CSV table of all heavy atoms in Angstrom, one decimal:
chain,number,residue,atom,x,y,z
A,4,GLN,N,21.4,-21.2,5.8
A,4,GLN,CA,22.5,-20.3,5.9
A,4,GLN,C,23.0,-19.7,4.6
A,4,GLN,O,23.6,-18.6,4.6
A,4,GLN,CB,23.6,-20.9,6.7
A,4,GLN,CG,24.2,-22.2,6.0
A,4,GLN,CD,25.3,-22.8,6.9
A,4,GLN,OE1,25.8,-22.2,7.8
A,4,GLN,NE2,25.6,-24.0,6.6
A,5,GLU,N,22.8,-20.4,3.5
A,5,GLU,CA,23.2,-19.9,2.2
A,5,GLU,C,22.1,-19.4,1.3
A,5,GLU,O,22.4,-19.1,0.1
A,5,GLU,CB,24.0,-21.1,1.5
A,5,GLU,CG,25.2,-21.6,2.2
A,5,GLU,CD,26.3,-20.5,2.3
A,5,GLU,OE1,26.4,-19.7,1.4
A,5,GLU,OE2,26.9,-20.4,3.3
A,6,VAL,N,21.0,-19.2,1.8
A,6,VAL,CA,19.9,-18.7,1.0
A,6,VAL,C,20.0,-17.2,0.8
A,6,VAL,O,20.0,-16.5,1.8
A,6,VAL,CB,18.5,-19.1,1.7
A,6,VAL,CG1,17.4,-18.6,0.8
A,6,VAL,CG2,18.4,-20.6,1.8
A,7,GLU,N,20.0,-16.8,-0.4
A,7,GLU,CA,20.1,-15.4,-0.8
A,7,GLU,C,18.9,-14.5,-0.4
A,7,GLU,O,19.0,-13.4,0.0
A,7,GLU,CB,20.4,-15.2,-2.2
A,7,GLU,CG,21.8,-15.6,-2.6
A,7,GLU,CD,22.9,-14.8,-2.0
A,7,GLU,OE1,22.7,-13.5,-1.9
A,7,GLU,OE2,23.9,-15.3,-1.5
A,8,TRP,N,17.7,-15.1,-0.4
A,8,TRP,CA,16.5,-14.3,-0.2
A,8,TRP,C,16.4,-13.8,1.3
A,8,TRP,O,15.7,-12.9,1.6
A,8,TRP,CB,15.2,-15.0,-0.6
A,8,TRP,CG,15.0,-16.3,0.0
A,8,TRP,CD1,15.3,-17.5,-0.5
A,8,TRP,CD2,14.3,-16.6,1.2
A,8,TRP,NE1,14.9,-18.5,0.3
A,8,TRP,CE2,14.3,-18.0,1.4
A,8,TRP,CE3,13.8,-15.8,2.2
A,8,TRP,CZ2,13.7,-18.6,2.5
A,8,TRP,CZ3,13.2,-16.4,3.3
A,8,TRP,CH2,13.2,-17.8,3.4
A,9,LEU,N,17.2,-14.5,2.2
A,9,LEU,CA,17.2,-14.1,3.5
A,9,LEU,C,18.0,-12.8,3.7
A,9,LEU,O,17.7,-12.0,4.6
A,9,LEU,CB,17.8,-15.2,4.4
A,9,LEU,CG,17.0,-16.4,4.6
A,9,LEU,CD1,17.7,-17.5,5.4
A,9,LEU,CD2,15.7,-16.1,5.3
A,10,LYS,N,18.9,-12.6,2.8
A,10,LYS,CA,19.8,-11.4,2.9
A,10,LYS,C,19.3,-10.3,1.8
A,10,LYS,O,20.1,-9.4,1.6
A,10,LYS,CB,21.2,-11.7,2.6
A,10,LYS,CG,21.8,-12.8,3.5
A,10,LYS,CD,23.2,-13.1,3.2
A,10,LYS,CE,23.4,-14.6,3.1
A,10,LYS,NZ,24.6,-15.0,2.5
A,11,ALA,N,18.2,-10.5,1.2
A,11,ALA,CA,17.8,-9.6,0.1
A,11,ALA,C,17.5,-8.2,0.6
A,11,ALA,O,17.1,-8.0,1.7
A,11,ALA,CB,16.5,-10.2,-0.5
A,12,LYS,N,17.8,-7.3,-0.3
A,12,LYS,CA,17.6,-5.9,0.0
A,12,LYS,C,16.1,-5.6,0.0
A,12,LYS,O,15.3,-6.2,-0.8
A,12,LYS,CB,18.3,-5.0,-1.0
A,12,LYS,CG,19.8,-5.2,-1.0
A,12,LYS,CD,20.4,-4.3,-2.0
A,12,LYS,CE,21.9,-4.5,-2.0
A,12,LYS,NZ,22.6,-3.8,-3.1
A,13,PRO,N,15.6,-4.6,0.8
A,13,PRO,CA,14.2,-4.3,0.7
A,13,PRO,C,13.8,-3.7,-0.6
A,13,PRO,O,14.6,-3.0,-1.3
A,13,PRO,CB,14.1,-3.2,1.9
A,13,PRO,CG,15.4,-2.7,2.1
A,13,PRO,CD,16.4,-3.8,1.7
A,14,LYS,N,12.6,-4.0,-1.0
A,14,LYS,CA,12.1,-3.5,-2.3
A,14,LYS,C,11.0,-2.5,-2.0
A,14,LYS,O,10.4,-2.5,-1.0
A,14,LYS,CB,11.5,-4.7,-3.1
A,14,LYS,CG,12.4,-5.9,-3.1
A,14,LYS,CD,13.1,-6.1,-4.5
A,14,LYS,CE,13.9,-7.3,-4.6
A,14,LYS,NZ,14.9,-7.6,-3.7
A,15,LYS,N,10.8,-1.7,-3.0
A,15,LYS,CA,9.7,-0.6,-2.9
A,15,LYS,C,8.9,-0.7,-4.1
A,15,LYS,O,9.3,-0.9,-5.2
A,15,LYS,CB,10.4,0.7,-2.8
A,15,LYS,CG,9.5,1.9,-2.5
A,15,LYS,CD,10.2,3.1,-2.2
A,15,LYS,CE,9.2,4.2,-1.8
A,15,LYS,NZ,9.9,5.4,-1.5
A,16,LEU,N,7.6,-0.4,-3.9
A,16,LEU,CA,6.6,-0.4,-5.0
A,16,LEU,C,6.4,1.1,-5.4
A,16,LEU,O,6.0,1.9,-4.6
A,16,LEU,CB,5.3,-1.0,-4.6
A,16,LEU,CG,4.3,-1.3,-5.7
A,16,LEU,CD1,4.8,-2.4,-6.6
A,16,LEU,CD2,3.0,-1.8,-5.0
A,17,ILE,N,6.7,1.4,-6.7
A,17,ILE,CA,6.5,2.7,-7.2
A,17,ILE,C,5.7,2.7,-8.5
A,17,ILE,O,5.5,1.6,-9.1
A,17,ILE,CB,7.8,3.4,-7.5
A,17,ILE,CG1,8.6,2.7,-8.7
A,17,ILE,CG2,8.7,3.6,-6.3
A,17,ILE,CD1,9.8,3.5,-9.2
A,18,GLU,N,5.2,3.8,-9.0
A,18,GLU,CA,4.5,3.9,-10.2
A,18,GLU,C,5.4,4.5,-11.3
A,18,GLU,O,5.9,5.6,-11.1
A,18,GLU,CB,3.2,4.7,-10.1
A,18,GLU,CG,2.3,4.6,-11.3
A,18,GLU,CD,0.9,5.2,-11.0
A,18,GLU,OE1,0.4,4.9,-10.0
A,18,GLU,OE2,0.5,5.9,-11.9
A,19,LEU,N,5.6,3.9,-12.4
A,19,LEU,CA,6.5,4.3,-13.5
A,19,LEU,C,5.7,4.3,-14.8
A,19,LEU,O,5.2,3.2,-15.2
A,19,LEU,CB,7.7,3.4,-13.6
A,19,LEU,CG,8.7,3.8,-14.6
A,19,LEU,CD1,9.4,5.1,-14.2
A,19,LEU,CD2,9.8,2.7,-14.6
A,20,ASN,N,5.5,5.5,-15.4
A,20,ASN,CA,4.7,5.6,-16.6
A,20,ASN,C,3.3,5.0,-16.4
A,20,ASN,O,2.7,4.3,-17.3
A,20,ASN,CB,5.4,4.9,-17.8
A,20,ASN,CG,6.7,5.5,-18.1
A,20,ASN,OD1,6.9,6.7,-17.8
A,20,ASN,ND2,7.6,4.8,-18.7
A,21,GLY,N,2.7,5.1,-15.3
A,21,GLY,CA,1.3,4.6,-15.0
A,21,GLY,C,1.3,3.2,-14.7
A,21,GLY,O,0.2,2.6,-14.5
A,22,VAL,N,2.4,2.5,-14.5
A,22,VAL,CA,2.4,1.1,-14.2
A,22,VAL,C,3.1,0.9,-12.8
A,22,VAL,O,4.2,1.4,-12.6
A,22,VAL,CB,3.2,0.3,-15.3
A,22,VAL,CG1,3.2,-1.2,-15.0
A,22,VAL,CG2,2.5,0.5,-16.6
A,23,ALA,N,2.6,0.1,-12.0
A,23,ALA,CA,3.2,-0.2,-10.7
A,23,ALA,C,4.3,-1.2,-10.9
A,23,ALA,O,4.1,-2.3,-11.5
A,23,ALA,CB,2.2,-0.8,-9.7
A,24,VAL,N,5.5,-0.9,-10.4
A,24,VAL,CA,6.7,-1.8,-10.5
A,24,VAL,C,7.4,-1.8,-9.2
A,24,VAL,O,7.4,-0.9,-8.4
A,24,VAL,CB,7.7,-1.3,-11.6
A,24,VAL,CG1,7.1,-1.4,-13.0
A,24,VAL,CG2,8.1,0.1,-11.4
A,25,GLU,N,8.0,-3.0,-8.9
A,25,GLU,CA,8.7,-3.2,-7.7
A,25,GLU,C,10.2,-2.9,-8.0
A,25,GLU,O,10.7,-3.5,-9.0
A,25,GLU,CB,8.5,-4.6,-7.2
A,25,GLU,CG,9.1,-4.9,-5.9
A,25,GLU,CD,8.7,-6.3,-5.4
A,25,GLU,OE1,7.6,-6.7,-5.5
A,25,GLU,OE2,9.7,-7.0,-5.0
A,26,VAL,N,10.8,-2.0,-7.3
A,26,VAL,CA,12.2,-1.7,-7.6
A,26,VAL,C,13.1,-1.9,-6.4
A,26,VAL,O,12.7,-2.0,-5.2
A,26,VAL,CB,12.3,-0.2,-8.0
A,26,VAL,CG1,11.6,0.1,-9.3
A,26,VAL,CG2,11.8,0.7,-6.9
A,27,GLU,N,14.4,-2.0,-6.7
A,27,GLU,CA,15.4,-2.1,-5.6
A,27,GLU,C,16.4,-0.9,-5.8
A,27,GLU,O,16.8,-0.6,-6.9
A,27,GLU,CB,16.2,-3.4,-5.9
A,27,GLU,CG,17.4,-3.6,-4.9
A,27,GLU,CD,18.2,-4.8,-5.3
A,27,GLU,OE1,17.7,-5.8,-5.9
A,27,GLU,OE2,19.4,-4.9,-4.9
A,28,LEU,N,16.7,-0.3,-4.7
A,28,LEU,CA,17.6,0.9,-4.7
A,28,LEU,C,19.0,0.4,-4.7
A,28,LEU,O,19.4,-0.4,-3.9
A,28,LEU,CB,17.4,1.7,-3.5
A,28,LEU,CG,18.2,3.0,-3.3
A,28,LEU,CD1,18.0,3.9,-4.5
A,28,LEU,CD2,18.0,3.7,-2.0
A,29,LEU,N,19.8,0.8,-5.7
A,29,LEU,CA,21.2,0.4,-5.8
A,29,LEU,C,22.1,1.5,-5.1
A,29,LEU,O,21.6,2.6,-4.8
A,29,LEU,CB,21.6,0.3,-7.3
A,29,LEU,CG,20.8,-0.7,-8.1
A,29,LEU,CD1,21.2,-0.6,-9.6
A,29,LEU,CD2,20.9,-2.1,-7.6
């Protein structure tokens, strides 16, 4: 019940300067 990863926001994989990075939308 207190685990934060269960409530985590969805992440998206994008390419930034030719490198794949996982980002979170704020």
Side-chain angles (χ1 to χ4, degrees):
Q4 61 185 345
E5 296 297 322
V6 178
E7 286 297 318
W8 58 266
L9 289 175
K10 301 179 231 172
K12 296 179 184 177
K14 312 256 185 306
K15 186 173 183 178
L16 192 64
I17 65 167
E18 190 170 316
L19 183 64
N20 298 335
V22 180
V24 292
E25 189 175 312
V26 295
E27 175 185 338
L28 180 62
L29 301 177

